[in-house]
Amino acid sequence: MRKSGRILLIFIMLLIPAGCKEITPEDIIKGLQGIDESLEGYQCEIKLTYHCYNPPLSFRLKEWFKKPVEFGFETLEPGKHRGNTVIFTDRSIVLKYPGIQDEREISITKDQNLLFGQGVFLKKRLENILKSADSLSISRELQDGRTWFIIELPAKPLTVFTDREKIWLDGKTFLPHRVEIWTKEGDLYMTIEYINVKFNKTTGGI
């Protein structure tokens, strides 16, 4: 069985008791740990919107992760930025632009790497939830016949612009679907939507 099939089987096995008992925060954390521990790589699309601009500024990106520490995204929209690619490792950022053969590599520290981009990545969202497991606020929402678990926790990385975040987890897979990041003043700073997640597939940009 392919790795992606095994991961889905883990989800199903974790959720079999759900019809007999209420799903607890511990069940959700256990499910997320199973995802994180089994993850070799993934790719997905994300819609990233900055609400601090008027009008809001939106991007559609292809995102990927490749074990152990390589993250990247390629811009799909807006068209004038299409193909621009950024790859993050633990020590550098690599910039690629369509039509330009030379790559630009910038050496950075791990802390700078977090601030420059890893805060948007799906895997980082899983890690942030697990690190905050003892202080999570979890609620349940039913919308259009689907169940969502809503998690609230301090924003990571914490910056002068960000204070807390709300994460919508799919009620069947526990995967993050939507993230809202808020400021200390109570204003919506950023939203992130994860679309068409494919596990253990890292084509594009690598």
Side-chain angles (χ1 to χ4, degrees):
M1 187 184 294
R2 296 175 60 185
K3 287 185 177 179
S4 58
R6 287 201 296 268
I7 292 176
L8 288 175
L9 181 59
I10 290 172
F11 294 161
I12 293 170
M13 294 299 291
L14 286 169
L15 292 169
I16 283 175
C20 303
K21 69 179 185 68
E22 185 77 9
I23 292 178
T24 67
E26 289 75 20
D27 294 328
I28 295 174
I29 295 302
K30 185 176 180 181
L32 294 177
Q33 286 174 333
I35 297 171
D36 189 58
E37 291 169 1
S38 303
L39 201 56
E40 298 289 330
Y42 66 78
Q43 74 172 37
C44 64
E45 288 188 17
I46 63 173
K47 182 180 178 182
L48 182 66
T49 303
Y50 290 91
H51 297 271
C52 49
Y53 296 93
N54 188 17
L57 184 62
S58 292
F59 296 88
R60 188 167 64 93
L61 310 171
K62 179 165 66 175
E63 173 195 319
W64 70 87
F65 161 71
K66 183 179 179 181
K67 198 173 182 179
V69 287
E70 184 166 289
F71 298 84
F73 57 77
E74 176 185 344
T75 303
L76 302 177
E77 293 178 356
K80 65 181 180 180
H81 298 296
R82 185 176 180 86
N84 291 352
T85 301
V86 184
I87 300 174
F88 298 83
T89 69
D90 60 343
R91 295 297 183 187
S92 69
I93 298 175
V94 177
L95 307 176
K96 299 181 180 181
Y97 302 96
I100 300 177
Q101 291 184 345
D102 292 339
E103 300 177 359
R104 184 178 181 186
E105 183 170 357
I106 305 170
S107 296
I108 57 172
T109 66
K110 289 185 178 181
D111 289 340
Q112 288 174 325
N113 201 332
L114 284 171
L115 290 173
F116 285 149
Q118 288 193 13
V120 308
F121 289 112
L122 174 62
K123 187 173 191 320
K124 289 299 174 183
R125 200 102 280 122
L126 296 175
E127 293 175 358
N128 292 347
I129 296 172
L130 294 174
K131 289 176 182 176
S132 303
D134 294 334
S135 58
L136 295 179
S137 169
I138 300 178
S139 60
R140 183 196 299 256
E141 180 179 286
L142 186 63
Q143 189 176 76
D144 298 327
R146 297 184 65 178
T147 298
W148 302 95
F149 294 104
I150 304 172
I151 292 179
E152 296 191 47
L153 69 162
K156 290 185 173 59
L158 193 63
T159 71
V160 294
F161 303 108
T162 61
D163 178 64
R164 61 186 177 88
E165 55 186 65
K166 294 176 67 174
I167 304 172
W168 277 256
L169 301 182
D170 187 290
K172 292 184 177 179
T173 65
F174 298 153
L175 281 176
H177 171 69
R178 175 182 171 87
V179 180
E180 292 182 353
I181 300 176
W182 295 78
T183 67
K184 290 182 179 179
E185 292 74 27
D187 298 319
L188 182 59
Y189 175 72
M190 179 194 298
T191 56
I192 308 166
E193 296 178 62
Y194 299 101
I195 306 164
N196 194 24
V197 181
K198 297 179 181 178
F199 285 109
N200 300 322
K201 184 175 182 179
T202 55
T203 58
I206 297 181

